[in-house]
Amino acid sequence: MSWVTGAEGSPYGVTNLPYGVFRYDGREPRVGVRIADLVLDLAGAEAVGLVLAAGTLGRPTLNDFMALGRPQWTSVRQRIVDLLTDPAHRPAVEPLLVPLDAAELLLPIEVADYVDFYSSEHHASNVGQIFRPGQPALLPNWKHLPIGYHGRAGTVVVSGTPVVRPTGQRATGQGPTVGPSVRLDIEAEVGFVVGVPSVLGRRVAAADFADHVFGVVLVNDWSARDIQAWEYQPLGPFLGKSFATSISAWVTPLDALADAFVPAPDQDPPVQAYLRDTPHLGLDLRLTVEWNGERMTEPPFSTMYWTPAQQLAHLTVNGASLRTGDLYASGTVSGPQRDQVGSFLELTWGGAEPVTVGAGQTRTFLEDGDSVTVRAVAPGPDGTTIALGEVTGRILPAR
Amino acid sequence: MSWVTGAEGSPYGVTNLPYGVFRYDGREPRVGVRIADLVLDLAGAEAVGLVLAAGTLGRPTLNDFMALGRPQWTSVRQRIVDLLTDPAHRPAVEPLLVPLDAAELLLPIEVADYVDFYSSEHHASNVGQIFRPGQPALLPNWKHLPIGYHGRAGTVVVSGTPVVRPTGQRATGQGPTVGPSVRLDIEAEVGFVVGVPSVLGRRVAAADFADHVFGVVLVNDWSARDIQAWEYQPLGPFLGKSFATSISAWVTPLDALADAFVPAPDQDPPVQAYLRDTPHLGLDLRLTVEWNGERMTEPPFSTMYWTPAQQLAHLTVNGASLRTGDLYASGTVSGPQRDQVGSFLELTWGGAEPVTVGAGQTRTFLEDGDSVTVRAVAPGPDGTTIALGEVTGRILPAR
């Protein structure tokens, strides 16, 4: 039980404690942890010896802290819990609590490589049906390996950053034209952040997932469907994605999600040995997608076909090394029902079935001024619920 | 005329002066510039005030120096030329010259994002004919935009780094199997290194190429064709490429290549306005590919359909920003003839036509222990020739 006002019953209570990077009161960017509607200044706490983390908490990203490894992650977290629950610490800790309103939240990690998977069977099937009607919805490789590709790390932005509508080439009946995208979409995803690097040439086993992965962010992989459709053969998505990828300001540590691991869907055909994770666990993260404040869909992350441990094993099976700050995202999270999809491409079935967004507003894809917010909750200990930090963004007109 | 022994007539003479990062004599990594078979310790030179570069020359990568921008790049280069040509500087400078044999060459840049294009018409046509016989060799989008994708920045390694044969899934008649790649290949490419960043949401014009791009490296984009063939639909190459990409230890500044710019091939159909570069210039870089020391092919970079300025304009047309250290490579450089191709896939026509590599050795793809070296020369001033730093690597058995 925390002595912090508002912590009890909050989805950001003492069992959650996501990490972020923030700035307040004219000070340098620093690491903080969220409790209720406050941010504990961990740089300040480390400076006075309340927390020990090798000096990493005064840095402008989480990377140095994440590089310390799981034993340190666990001990720092336990110490923070002590500070926020033992009333004896209150006099020293309370002055380090900053109201969320007074904190400017920054990009929490320096992204090394960004990989995006495509691991929802429902999403891949929907996309297959929309783009290749009459053909098998899934390509032959899909159930044998988690399909993925590299995205642009340098355009990963923190939640709240406005997104300028991208311009690019798209196909028309008379050849390509150039202009602002007219099919601007979202992809609601879950991202995994690597803390501990690996050695070039050596694979990382699925079983070692928790030794390397520090925590989880929510991701909106903004997608210009018209640009993507014209460019993507044969080397995959490029400019249709690279203009912006938003992530939540809060990184939820895996330790906070211990009660959220659930059996993942059975896999048939059986997967190759390097992809076997025992137990085969996904995460019961319940996403919601809001369009201009209206709740549109509720994608269930527990339905993902490939698990984050399998994705990690696949990513490295060829000897590719991990770096601190690597981010790999799940791909669009879509459940079996139309109100569970994680993209507007699916929600409007390729733009053929407009939806209503608020009073009198119909939409197929995003219009200028629209905003999208992805949220998620997960089971916490003892029947409680914890929240992941939301990821939100608003569309600005093309330049 | 340089006072440095061996500089006159060397392809690394005073008109070349590529930059690298090196270590010698137990000292910290630092920036150096190559002259003949020596490396000038620029950190040492800056420390005693012989060169002024805002303290960037003592850093372990070129990034901070590259971020200074073209006026500084030009003034530092001019100063280095003065130091190496004016005999009055010889007493101060000579002690800072390190024999190449005594220098350990390191990865010269911290790679931010790595993009790989596909800009040789001959290569794209060859690949199309090999993989899609009987169909049009080029896909409909190919002549409208420079096709590209993001690769893995964290596995870019410096020339000389051994490459462990990657393991992965490949298709067989009976479904996929897992094992070491049996179709391990190279791609001889030219890479462009970004020094000056750009702002998210704002495109970079082709005309601004020289304001952002610092210089050129040679690239070997090692490729496991069997892994790539099975995984790449629909999101492009992933593990077939991400195990290693080698770059030369030396970054040749654009200033050294002033005499190498030549008209690029005509483009038909005409390109979109944002892709028009006037004048439309490529680079007369003459590559050679050596397999176990035997010269196999001579790819001419001047035949590339898309120019580096067009690639830069395309990369940013959607508002994607550039960071210092971004690397974008040309894609495999292949000329019209079989002895001008930049991949063994093309040289052996998909493995159907083995080649001889040294006495009695036949090959289709790379075997363990094989080494590949890509070199290049370019026209320098007054009929001279300058060399680009080579990129070399040797295959180690799969782990």
Side-chain angles (χ1 to χ4, degrees), chain A residues 113 144 152 154 169 239 318, chain B residues 113 144 154 169 239 318 326:
Chain A
D113 271 299
H144 292 283
R152 191 162 184 82
Q169 284 194 33
L239 301 189
N318 67 345
Chain B
D113 271 298
H144 293 283
Q169 284 194 34
L239 301 188
N318 67 346
D326 279 351

Side-chain angles (χ1 to χ4, degrees), chain B residues 155 214 380:
Chain B
T155 54
F214 172 76

Side-chain angles (χ1 to χ4, degrees), chain B residues 100-159:
Chain B
L100 204 53
D101 291 349
E104 180 191 358
L105 302 178
L106 305 173
L107 188 67
I109 57 172
E110 182 182 355
V111 182
D113 271 298
Y114 166 46
V115 164
D116 197 16
F117 284 98
Y118 186 59
S119 289
S120 161
E121 181 174 0
H122 306 292
H123 172 68
S125 295
N126 288 337
V127 169
Q129 289 173 59
I130 292 169
F131 286 127
R132 299 183 306 271
Q135 295 176 49
L138 294 180
L139 292 173
N141 55 12
W142 199 90
K143 290 205 164 181
H144 293 283
L145 49 77
I147 295 288
Y149 70 103
H150 285 89
R152 190 163 185 82
T155 54
V156 174
V157 298
V158 70
S159 175

